[in-house]
Short mmCIF file of all heavy atoms in Angstrom, two decimals:
data_model
loop_
_atom_site.label_atom_id
_atom_site.label_comp_id
_atom_site.label_asym_id
_atom_site.label_seq_id
_atom_site.Cartn_x
_atom_site.Cartn_y
_atom_site.Cartn_z
N MET X 1 0.87 -1.23 0.06
CA MET X 1 0.08 -0.01 -0.10
C MET X 1 0.89 1.28 0.03
O MET X 1 1.96 1.19 0.50
CB MET X 1 -0.93 0.04 1.20
CG MET X 1 -1.93 -1.10 1.21
SD MET X 1 -3.07 -0.85 2.62
CE MET X 1 -4.41 -0.01 1.61
N ASN X 2 0.42 2.37 -0.46
CA ASN X 2 1.06 3.60 -0.47
C ASN X 2 2.34 3.54 -1.41
O ASN X 2 3.17 4.41 -1.32
CB ASN X 2 1.22 4.10 0.84
CG ASN X 2 0.02 4.35 1.68
OD1 ASN X 2 -0.86 5.08 1.13
ND2 ASN X 2 -0.07 3.81 2.79
N ASN X 3 2.53 2.51 -2.10
CA ASN X 3 3.68 2.41 -2.94
C ASN X 3 5.05 2.57 -2.21
O ASN X 3 5.92 3.30 -2.64
CB ASN X 3 3.64 3.27 -4.22
CG ASN X 3 2.70 2.78 -5.21
OD1 ASN X 3 2.48 1.60 -5.32
ND2 ASN X 3 2.08 3.66 -5.94
N LEU X 4 5.12 2.01 -1.04
CA LEU X 4 6.39 2.09 -0.23
C LEU X 4 7.07 0.82 -0.16
O LEU X 4 6.60 -0.30 -0.21
CB LEU X 4 6.10 2.61 1.17
CG LEU X 4 5.41 4.04 1.42
CD1 LEU X 4 5.08 4.15 2.83
CD2 LEU X 4 6.30 5.00 0.76
N LYS X 5 8.37 0.90 -0.02
CA LYS X 5 9.20 -0.25 0.27
C LYS X 5 9.16 -0.47 1.87
O LYS X 5 9.61 0.43 2.50
CB LYS X 5 10.68 -0.06 -0.15
CG LYS X 5 10.83 0.21 -1.69
CD LYS X 5 12.30 0.53 -1.94
CE LYS X 5 12.47 1.01 -3.28
NZ LYS X 5 13.88 1.56 -3.50
N PRO X 6 8.63 -1.50 2.20
CA PRO X 6 8.38 -1.68 3.79
C PRO X 6 9.56 -1.52 4.66
O PRO X 6 9.65 -0.83 5.55
CB PRO X 6 7.67 -2.93 3.92
CG PRO X 6 7.04 -3.29 2.56
CD PRO X 6 7.91 -2.63 1.56
N TYR X 7 10.64 -2.24 4.19
CA TYR X 7 11.89 -2.11 4.98
C TYR X 7 12.45 -0.71 5.06
O TYR X 7 12.86 -0.24 6.09
CB TYR X 7 12.91 -3.16 4.47
CG TYR X 7 14.21 -3.04 5.14
CD1 TYR X 7 14.38 -3.79 6.34
CD2 TYR X 7 15.29 -2.29 4.68
CE1 TYR X 7 15.52 -3.74 7.16
CE2 TYR X 7 16.38 -2.29 5.45
CZ TYR X 7 16.62 -2.94 6.63
OH TYR X 7 17.73 -2.82 7.34
N GLU X 8 12.57 -0.16 3.91
CA GLU X 8 13.17 1.25 3.74
C GLU X 8 12.28 2.29 4.58
O GLU X 8 12.81 3.11 5.21
CB GLU X 8 13.16 1.76 2.37
CG GLU X 8 14.14 0.88 1.60
CD GLU X 8 15.67 1.05 1.91
OE1 GLU X 8 15.99 2.16 2.54
OE2 GLU X 8 16.44 0.13 1.79
N TYR X 9 10.93 2.13 4.41
CA TYR X 9 10.09 3.04 5.23
C TYR X 9 10.26 2.89 6.70
O TYR X 9 10.45 3.83 7.39
CB TYR X 9 8.62 2.79 4.87
CG TYR X 9 7.66 3.57 5.67
CD1 TYR X 9 7.65 4.95 5.63
CD2 TYR X 9 6.79 2.88 6.43
CE1 TYR X 9 6.72 5.58 6.53
CE2 TYR X 9 5.95 3.55 7.36
CZ TYR X 9 5.88 4.87 7.27
OH TYR X 9 5.05 5.58 8.16
N PHE X 10 10.26 1.67 7.10
CA PHE X 10 10.42 1.38 8.52
C PHE X 10 11.73 1.82 9.11
O PHE X 10 11.81 2.43 10.16
CB PHE X 10 10.20 -0.04 8.83
CG PHE X 10 10.08 -0.43 10.28
CD1 PHE X 10 8.93 0.01 11.10
CD2 PHE X 10 11.00 -1.20 11.03
CE1 PHE X 10 8.85 -0.19 12.42
CE2 PHE X 10 10.77 -1.43 12.33
CZ PHE X 10 9.79 -0.95 13.19
N SER X 11 12.80 1.59 8.22
CA SER X 11 14.16 2.08 8.68
C SER X 11 14.19 3.57 8.79
O SER X 11 14.73 4.06 9.78
CB SER X 11 15.16 1.58 7.59
OG SER X 11 16.42 2.23 7.80
N TYR X 12 13.56 4.28 7.84
CA TYR X 12 13.54 5.77 7.86
C TYR X 12 12.71 6.21 9.05
O TYR X 12 13.15 7.23 9.78
CB TYR X 12 12.94 6.21 6.48
CG TYR X 12 12.66 7.74 6.53
CD1 TYR X 12 13.71 8.70 6.41
CD2 TYR X 12 11.41 8.31 6.76
CE1 TYR X 12 13.52 10.00 6.45
CE2 TYR X 12 11.20 9.68 6.71
CZ TYR X 12 12.25 10.52 6.61
OH TYR X 12 12.05 11.88 6.53
N LEU X 13 11.59 5.59 9.24
CA LEU X 13 10.75 5.91 10.43
C LEU X 13 11.59 5.93 11.73
O LEU X 13 11.49 6.77 12.56
CB LEU X 13 9.61 4.98 10.52
CG LEU X 13 8.48 5.26 11.35
CD1 LEU X 13 7.82 6.67 11.02
CD2 LEU X 13 7.45 4.14 11.35
N LEU X 14 12.22 4.75 11.97
CA LEU X 14 13.08 4.68 13.22
C LEU X 14 14.15 5.61 13.29
O LEU X 14 14.48 6.22 14.38
CB LEU X 14 13.64 3.17 13.16
CG LEU X 14 12.62 2.13 13.54
CD1 LEU X 14 13.31 0.72 13.48
CD2 LEU X 14 11.93 2.28 14.72
N GLU X 15 14.88 5.87 12.17
CA GLU X 15 15.86 6.98 12.19
C GLU X 15 15.30 8.33 12.57
O GLU X 15 15.94 8.97 13.34
CB GLU X 15 16.57 7.10 10.74
CG GLU X 15 17.30 5.95 10.27
CD GLU X 15 17.73 6.10 8.81
OE1 GLU X 15 17.32 7.08 8.13
OE2 GLU X 15 18.22 5.10 8.27
N GLN X 16 14.13 8.69 12.12
CA GLN X 16 13.58 9.92 12.42
C GLN X 16 13.05 10.02 13.86
O GLN X 16 13.19 11.06 14.43
CB GLN X 16 12.41 10.28 11.39
CG GLN X 16 12.91 10.40 9.98
CD GLN X 16 14.00 11.41 9.85
OE1 GLN X 16 13.80 12.57 10.38
NE2 GLN X 16 15.11 11.07 9.27
N LEU X 17 12.43 8.99 14.28
CA LEU X 17 11.84 8.99 15.65
C LEU X 17 12.89 9.01 16.70
O LEU X 17 12.63 9.44 17.88
CB LEU X 17 10.87 7.77 15.76
CG LEU X 17 9.67 7.80 15.00
CD1 LEU X 17 8.82 6.61 15.07
CD2 LEU X 17 8.88 9.06 15.40
N MET X 18 14.14 8.62 16.39
CA MET X 18 15.33 8.67 17.37
C MET X 18 15.55 10.05 17.91
O MET X 18 16.11 10.25 18.95
CB MET X 18 16.51 8.00 16.85
CG MET X 18 16.58 6.61 16.59
SD MET X 18 18.05 5.90 15.99
CE MET X 18 19.20 7.21 16.11
N HIS X 19 15.10 10.98 17.07
CA HIS X 19 15.49 12.44 17.40
C HIS X 19 14.60 13.12 18.36
O HIS X 19 14.86 14.29 18.69
CB HIS X 19 15.49 13.23 16.06
CG HIS X 19 16.51 12.78 15.06
ND1 HIS X 19 17.87 12.96 15.24
CD2 HIS X 19 16.38 12.04 13.95
CE1 HIS X 19 18.57 12.44 14.16
NE2 HIS X 19 17.68 11.90 13.34
N TYR X 20 13.56 12.38 18.87
CA TYR X 20 12.54 12.93 19.68
C TYR X 20 12.45 12.07 20.90
O TYR X 20 12.59 10.79 20.89
CB TYR X 20 11.25 13.03 19.06
CG TYR X 20 11.25 13.87 17.83
CD1 TYR X 20 11.39 13.28 16.62
CD2 TYR X 20 11.16 15.19 17.90
CE1 TYR X 20 11.54 14.14 15.38
CE2 TYR X 20 11.25 16.01 16.74
CZ TYR X 20 11.42 15.45 15.51
OH TYR X 20 11.42 16.21 14.45
N PRO X 21 12.09 12.72 22.10
CA PRO X 21 11.85 11.88 23.32
C PRO X 21 10.59 11.09 23.14
O PRO X 21 9.63 11.38 22.32
CB PRO X 21 11.66 13.00 24.34
CG PRO X 21 11.93 14.33 23.82
CD PRO X 21 11.94 14.12 22.27
N ARG X 22 10.65 9.99 23.82
CA ARG X 22 9.43 9.01 23.74
C ARG X 22 8.08 9.74 24.11
O ARG X 22 8.16 10.48 24.96
CB ARG X 22 9.66 7.89 24.72
CG ARG X 22 8.57 6.80 24.52
CD ARG X 22 8.46 5.92 25.68
NE ARG X 22 9.54 5.01 25.73
CZ ARG X 22 9.65 4.04 26.72
NH1 ARG X 22 8.60 3.89 27.54
NH2 ARG X 22 10.63 3.21 26.77
N ASN X 23 7.16 9.43 23.32
CA ASN X 23 5.78 10.03 23.50
C ASN X 23 5.72 11.52 23.38
O ASN X 23 4.81 12.18 23.96
CB ASN X 23 5.18 9.54 24.79
CG ASN X 23 5.01 8.08 25.00
OD1 ASN X 23 4.75 7.45 24.00
ND2 ASN X 23 5.23 7.61 26.12
N ASP X 24 6.76 12.22 22.70
CA ASP X 24 6.75 13.63 22.57
C ASP X 24 7.27 13.97 21.19
O ASP X 24 8.06 14.91 20.94
CB ASP X 24 7.70 14.18 23.63
CG ASP X 24 7.34 15.75 23.74
OD1 ASP X 24 6.35 16.27 23.38
OD2 ASP X 24 8.34 16.36 24.20
N VAL X 25 6.72 13.39 20.12
CA VAL X 25 6.86 13.75 18.81
C VAL X 25 5.88 14.71 18.36
O VAL X 25 4.76 14.59 18.45
CB VAL X 25 6.89 12.51 17.90
CG1 VAL X 25 7.19 12.92 16.45
CG2 VAL X 25 7.77 11.41 18.33
N PRO X 26 6.35 15.93 17.84
CA PRO X 26 5.41 17.08 17.48
C PRO X 26 4.40 16.49 16.34
O PRO X 26 4.77 15.61 15.51
CB PRO X 26 6.34 18.04 16.83
CG PRO X 26 7.72 17.73 17.31
CD PRO X 26 7.70 16.28 17.64
N GLU X 27 3.20 16.91 16.46
CA GLU X 27 2.14 16.39 15.54
C GLU X 27 2.50 16.65 14.01
O GLU X 27 2.25 15.89 13.27
CB GLU X 27 0.78 17.00 15.83
CG GLU X 27 0.20 16.34 17.08
CD GLU X 27 -1.27 16.74 17.32
OE1 GLU X 27 -1.93 16.83 16.28
OE2 GLU X 27 -1.59 16.95 18.35
N ASN X 28 3.16 17.76 13.80
CA ASN X 28 3.44 18.11 12.37
C ASN X 28 4.47 17.17 11.93
O ASN X 28 4.52 16.78 10.75
CB ASN X 28 3.95 19.55 12.24
CG ASN X 28 5.25 19.80 13.03
OD1 ASN X 28 5.46 19.29 14.00
ND2 ASN X 28 5.97 20.81 12.50
N LYS X 29 5.43 16.68 12.76
CA LYS X 29 6.41 15.81 12.27
C LYS X 29 5.81 14.41 12.17
O LYS X 29 6.21 13.64 11.19
CB LYS X 29 7.52 15.65 13.42
CG LYS X 29 8.70 14.79 12.97
CD LYS X 29 9.38 15.39 11.61
CE LYS X 29 10.50 14.46 11.29
NZ LYS X 29 11.11 14.92 9.96
N LEU X 30 4.91 13.92 12.97
CA LEU X 30 4.19 12.66 12.85
C LEU X 30 3.41 12.75 11.53
O LEU X 30 3.42 11.68 10.75
CB LEU X 30 3.18 12.50 13.92
CG LEU X 30 3.86 12.05 15.26
CD1 LEU X 30 2.64 11.93 16.29
CD2 LEU X 30 4.42 10.70 15.12
N ALA X 31 2.86 13.83 11.12
CA ALA X 31 2.16 13.83 9.85
C ALA X 31 3.14 13.56 8.58
O ALA X 31 2.76 13.06 7.62
CB ALA X 31 1.46 15.23 9.70
N GLU X 32 4.30 14.21 8.79
CA GLU X 32 5.32 13.99 7.78
C GLU X 32 5.78 12.51 7.62
O GLU X 32 6.28 12.12 6.55
CB GLU X 32 6.55 14.97 8.08
CG GLU X 32 6.32 16.38 7.88
CD GLU X 32 7.50 17.20 8.21
OE1 GLU X 32 8.63 16.64 8.47
OE2 GLU X 32 7.37 18.47 8.28
N LEU X 33 5.68 11.79 8.71
CA LEU X 33 6.14 10.41 8.71
C LEU X 33 5.09 9.44 8.28
O LEU X 33 5.32 8.13 8.25
CB LEU X 33 6.67 10.13 10.12
CG LEU X 33 7.96 10.86 10.50
CD1 LEU X 33 8.26 10.52 12.02
CD2 LEU X 33 9.11 10.61 9.59
N MET X 34 3.90 9.79 8.11
CA MET X 34 2.82 8.86 7.87
C MET X 34 3.11 8.34 6.41
O MET X 34 3.68 8.94 5.50
CB MET X 34 1.52 9.54 7.74
CG MET X 34 1.06 10.09 9.13
SD MET X 34 0.61 8.58 10.15
CE MET X 34 1.63 8.92 11.58
N PRO X 35 2.65 7.10 6.22
CA PRO X 35 2.90 6.44 4.89
C PRO X 35 2.39 7.09 3.72
O PRO X 35 2.93 7.04 2.60
CB PRO X 35 2.27 5.08 4.97
CG PRO X 35 1.82 4.89 6.33
CD PRO X 35 1.97 6.28 7.01
N TRP X 36 1.35 7.99 3.78
CA TRP X 36 0.79 8.65 2.64
C TRP X 36 1.38 10.03 2.54
O TRP X 36 0.97 10.74 1.63
CB TRP X 36 -0.75 8.75 2.83
CG TRP X 36 -1.09 9.27 4.19
CD1 TRP X 36 -1.32 10.53 4.61
CD2 TRP X 36 -1.50 8.47 5.35
NE1 TRP X 36 -1.56 10.63 5.89
CE2 TRP X 36 -1.68 9.34 6.42
CE3 TRP X 36 -1.58 7.10 5.62
CZ2 TRP X 36 -2.15 8.93 7.67
CZ3 TRP X 36 -1.88 6.63 6.89
CH2 TRP X 36 -2.17 7.56 7.84
N SER X 37 2.32 10.44 3.34
CA SER X 37 2.95 11.80 3.22
C SER X 37 3.73 11.93 1.96
O SER X 37 4.44 11.09 1.61
CB SER X 37 3.82 12.01 4.49
OG SER X 37 4.52 13.18 4.38
N ASP X 38 3.69 13.09 1.41
CA ASP X 38 4.44 13.48 0.34
C ASP X 38 5.84 13.91 0.68
O ASP X 38 6.75 14.11 -0.17
CB ASP X 38 3.82 14.71 -0.56
CG ASP X 38 2.59 14.28 -1.14
OD1 ASP X 38 2.44 13.10 -1.50
OD2 ASP X 38 1.72 15.26 -1.38
N GLU X 39 6.13 13.97 2.10
CA GLU X 39 7.45 14.41 2.59
C GLU X 39 8.50 13.28 2.70
O GLU X 39 9.56 13.51 2.98
CB GLU X 39 7.16 15.03 3.94
CG GLU X 39 6.26 16.17 4.02
CD GLU X 39 6.80 17.38 3.22
OE1 GLU X 39 7.96 17.67 3.25
OE2 GLU X 39 6.00 18.01 2.54
N LEU X 40 7.92 12.08 2.42
CA LEU X 40 9.03 10.87 2.54
C LEU X 40 9.96 10.90 1.44
O LEU X 40 9.69 11.31 0.38
CB LEU X 40 8.07 9.48 2.47
CG LEU X 40 7.10 9.37 3.67
CD1 LEU X 40 6.33 7.96 3.33
CD2 LEU X 40 7.90 9.22 5.07
N PRO X 41 11.17 10.44 1.81
CA PRO X 41 12.20 10.51 0.78
C PRO X 41 11.96 9.32 -0.22
O PRO X 41 11.27 8.43 -0.05
CB PRO X 41 13.46 10.22 1.62
CG PRO X 41 12.99 9.42 2.78
CD PRO X 41 11.62 9.89 3.08
N ASP X 42 12.57 9.63 -1.39
CA ASP X 42 12.47 8.72 -2.54
C ASP X 42 12.87 7.33 -2.20
O ASP X 42 12.36 6.28 -2.79
CB ASP X 42 13.15 9.27 -3.77
CG ASP X 42 12.47 10.44 -4.34
OD1 ASP X 42 11.32 10.58 -4.13
OD2 ASP X 42 13.23 11.14 -5.06
N ARG X 43 13.80 7.16 -1.43
CA ARG X 43 14.41 5.81 -1.16
C ARG X 43 13.32 4.89 -0.39
O ARG X 43 13.35 3.73 -0.48
CB ARG X 43 15.54 5.91 -0.14
CG ARG X 43 15.20 6.25 1.25
CD ARG X 43 16.29 6.24 2.21
NE ARG X 43 15.82 6.30 3.62
CZ ARG X 43 16.64 5.96 4.65
NH1 ARG X 43 17.78 5.61 4.52
NH2 ARG X 43 16.05 6.11 5.83
N CYS X 44 12.20 5.46 0.10
CA CYS X 44 11.21 4.68 0.60
C CYS X 44 10.10 4.31 -0.32
O CYS X 44 9.26 3.52 -0.08
CB CYS X 44 10.47 5.46 1.69
SG CYS X 44 11.47 5.87 3.22
N ARG X 45 10.05 4.86 -1.51
CA ARG X 45 9.10 4.66 -2.44
C ARG X 45 9.48 3.61 -3.55
O ARG X 45 10.58 3.55 -3.91
CB ARG X 45 8.71 5.93 -3.17
CG ARG X 45 8.29 7.01 -2.30
CD ARG X 45 7.61 8.20 -2.93
NE ARG X 45 7.29 9.28 -2.07
CZ ARG X 45 6.32 9.28 -1.24
NH1 ARG X 45 5.53 8.26 -1.32
NH2 ARG X 45 6.05 10.21 -0.37
N LYS X 46 8.46 2.87 -4.03
CA LYS X 46 8.70 1.88 -4.98
C LYS X 46 8.79 2.59 -6.33
O LYS X 46 8.06 3.67 -6.46
CB LYS X 46 7.57 0.87 -5.11
CG LYS X 46 7.52 -0.04 -3.92
CD LYS X 46 6.26 -1.04 -4.13
CE LYS X 46 6.21 -1.92 -2.87
NZ LYS X 46 5.04 -2.76 -2.96
N LEU X 47 9.68 2.12 -7.22
CA LEU X 47 9.64 2.68 -8.63
C LEU X 47 8.32 2.43 -9.31
O LEU X 47 7.81 1.41 -9.18
CB LEU X 47 10.78 2.15 -9.42
CG LEU X 47 12.14 2.44 -8.84
CD1 LEU X 47 13.17 1.67 -9.67
CD2 LEU X 47 12.42 3.90 -8.82
N LYS X 48 7.88 3.42 -9.97
CA LYS X 48 6.56 3.25 -10.68
C LYS X 48 6.83 2.37 -11.86
O LYS X 48 7.82 2.67 -12.68
CB LYS X 48 5.98 4.55 -11.13
CG LYS X 48 5.47 5.39 -9.91
CD LYS X 48 4.76 6.52 -10.34
CE LYS X 48 4.32 7.32 -9.18
NZ LYS X 48 3.48 8.48 -9.47
N THR X 49 6.10 1.35 -12.15
CA THR X 49 6.24 0.46 -13.36
C THR X 49 4.91 0.50 -14.15
O THR X 49 3.82 1.03 -13.47
CB THR X 49 6.51 -0.89 -13.05
OG1 THR X 49 5.58 -1.46 -12.16
CG2 THR X 49 7.95 -1.01 -12.29
N ARG X 50 4.83 0.05 -15.27
CA ARG X 50 3.58 0.07 -15.99
C ARG X 50 2.52 -0.68 -15.28
O ARG X 50 2.15 -1.30 -14.67
CB ARG X 50 3.78 -0.64 -17.39
CG ARG X 50 4.80 0.14 -18.17
CD ARG X 50 4.91 -0.42 -19.54
NE ARG X 50 5.81 0.25 -20.39
CZ ARG X 50 5.85 0.32 -21.55
NH1 ARG X 50 4.91 -0.39 -22.23
NH2 ARG X 50 6.68 1.01 -22.23
#
């Protein structure tokens, strides 16, 4: 779903969440980390094929 590479997405997610204290991630940052966010890096996305 969401045309993501699951391993790459999860890896990115953990990298980003390490920068915040537990249970205190700003809501705007959480929105950027959602699987449907346009802010995710290209490494997390599957290449579009026909």
Side-chain angles (χ1 to χ4, degrees):
M1 294 188 95
N2 297 307
N3 283 330
L4 296 179
K5 298 175 189 173
Y7 178 83
E8 293 295 332
Y9 171 67
F10 191 64
S11 174
Y12 174 74
L13 190 61
L14 292 177
E15 289 170 10
Q16 296 305 306
L17 291 175
M18 287 180 19
H19 299 285
Y20 300 96
R22 185 198 287 188
N23 297 327
D24 194 22
V25 182
E27 284 192 40
N28 64 331
K29 187 60 181 176
L30 283 176
E32 291 175 9
L33 296 173
M34 293 294 124
W36 49 84
S37 172
D38 292 332
E39 304 293 323
L40 294 175
D42 289 339
R43 75 177 190 164
C44 296
R45 302 192 185 283
K46 291 180 183 177
L47 295 176
K48 292 185 179 182
T49 59
R50 294 183 182 206

